[in-house]
Amino acid sequence: MRTEQVRAVLAIAETASFRAAAIRLGMSQSALSATVRRLEDELGVTLLTRSHDGTHLSPAGTAALRAMRAICAADEDLRTTVRAYAAGGTELIRVAAVTAAINTVLPGCLNDLVVDPGVEVQVRIGGSGDVIDQIRSGRADLGLITLEHGAHPVDGVRMHTLLLSPMGVVVPAGHRLAAQPEVRVIDLTGERVVNFRAGYMMHRVATGLLDVTDVRVVSHVESTPDAVRLVAAGVGVCLLPGFSVAERDPVVWREFVGVDAPITLALIVAADAAPTDRVRRLGRELRRRSASSDPHGGHHPASANTTVRVTV
């Protein structure tokens, strides 16, 4: 099995087209077909199926999707690390984070991380489950996840609470609820709602809260920025903890009253991790800033001396 074979399958799944995937990968369709066929022959399964609306993952391909993504991510991590050291011993610090971390304490901590150009910071954005997988597998040095307050400890990681926020609703500026200092879940009756995709923690939390009122879910998203953009455009409202919304976002957040469902932003590291001095420093800075953080406070860009690469 070769990484480029796995990348070929993922490209076809993402574009639903052999032609579009071949263009993306810079190869001919015949070469792409042969690449996929060799992988399928080796695994003994069909990974892709063609239908009237394009080419999609087969049941076996769907089951293997997370593993295929992990293979490609590990390959990228390996290549990045080797490139960094080949370029003169640059230390690569790998951070896996949910989007809520980008709206809160992470940017300022990256800004203060180093004063020398010898550090590269890779920030990979994903859901909490993806972040946990990266920490457990050693593909990230530090992780930032969200979880329901009081949730059971996560196996294989050490966890430190950074922020704790109540649940609330995000509405467009000028919305009827924006004029209220607090809202009840029942106040959402009749509203269109932007929810997270099934499998995300926020989908579970929001669905549980919305069971008591009559709303219409009109869209499902996979990230907080996508949710905020849809809310700002008037598509619907969205349920989020306060720290998920930055001061600069063109929306209004209002806390729910009568709702006991606080959400935690937590720092995690592998239970058996042996972090470098700079990784430990980043962890300490995250804890320090969180202790005095205003979840809606301002943030600072990364220092010019720090290389920050964000991947999804």
Side-chain angles (χ1 to χ4, degrees), residues 20-237:
I23 293 173
R24 175 190 291 189
L25 297 172
M27 59 195 305
S28 68
Q29 284 185 242
S30 59
L32 178 61
S33 296
T35 297
V36 173
R37 186 167 56 252
R38 283 193 293 270
L39 179 58
E40 290 179 327
D41 288 345
E42 179 179 345
L43 296 177
V45 296
T46 298
L47 296 171
L48 297 161
T49 58
R50 288 183 172 87
S51 65
H52 67 281
D53 60 344
T55 302
H56 305 282
L57 290 172
S58 68
T62 301
L65 179 59
R66 174 172 290 191
M68 289 191 290
R69 286 175 172 167
I71 288 170
C72 293
D75 177 72
E76 176 62 23
D77 286 346
L78 173 61
R79 293 176 186 276
T80 300
T81 301
V82 171
R83 282 197 301 268
Y85 280 92
T90 301
E91 180 178 353
L92 175 68
I93 296 177
R94 304 163 301 169
V95 179
V98 294
T99 51
I102 304 300
N103 279 345
T104 51
V105 294
L106 185 57
C109 292
L110 296 182
N111 181 61
D112 296 337
L113 179 61
V114 292
V115 293
D116 64 83
V119 170
E120 179 179 353
V121 181
Q122 174 183 279
V123 181
R124 178 170 286 130
I125 307 301
S128 291
D130 295 328
V131 173
I132 292 169
D133 286 346
Q134 291 182 58
I135 292 295
R136 285 172 170 164
S137 65
R139 291 184 287 115
D141 303 301
L142 291 177
L144 292 161
I145 64 171
T146 52
L147 67 162
E148 296 170 77
H149 185 57
H152 294 299
V154 179
D155 292 337
V157 305
R158 299 197 304 270
M159 186 165 62
H160 182 93
T161 296
L162 297 179
L163 296 173
L164 182 65
S165 173
M167 283 294 296
V169 61
V170 182
V171 300
H175 189 278
R176 63 182 179 86
L177 296 178
Q180 301 179 200
E182 304 176 318
V183 298
R184 301 167 301 163
V185 175
I186 199 69
D187 293 335
L188 302 183
T189 299
E191 290 287 342
R192 299 189 302 268
V193 172
V194 175
N195 200 356
F196 281 72
R197 181 172 59 78
Y200 282 72
M201 179 205 67
M202 285 310 308
H203 173 87
R204 183 175 65 254
V205 173
T207 300
L209 292 175
L210 293 172
D211 277 347
V212 303
T213 187
D214 183 19
V215 298
R216 182 164 66 95
V217 176
V218 294
S219 182
H220 289 89
V221 296
E222 297 191 5
S223 75
T224 300
D226 288 341
V228 169
R229 281 192 289 269
L230 291 181
V231 171
V235 174
V237 303

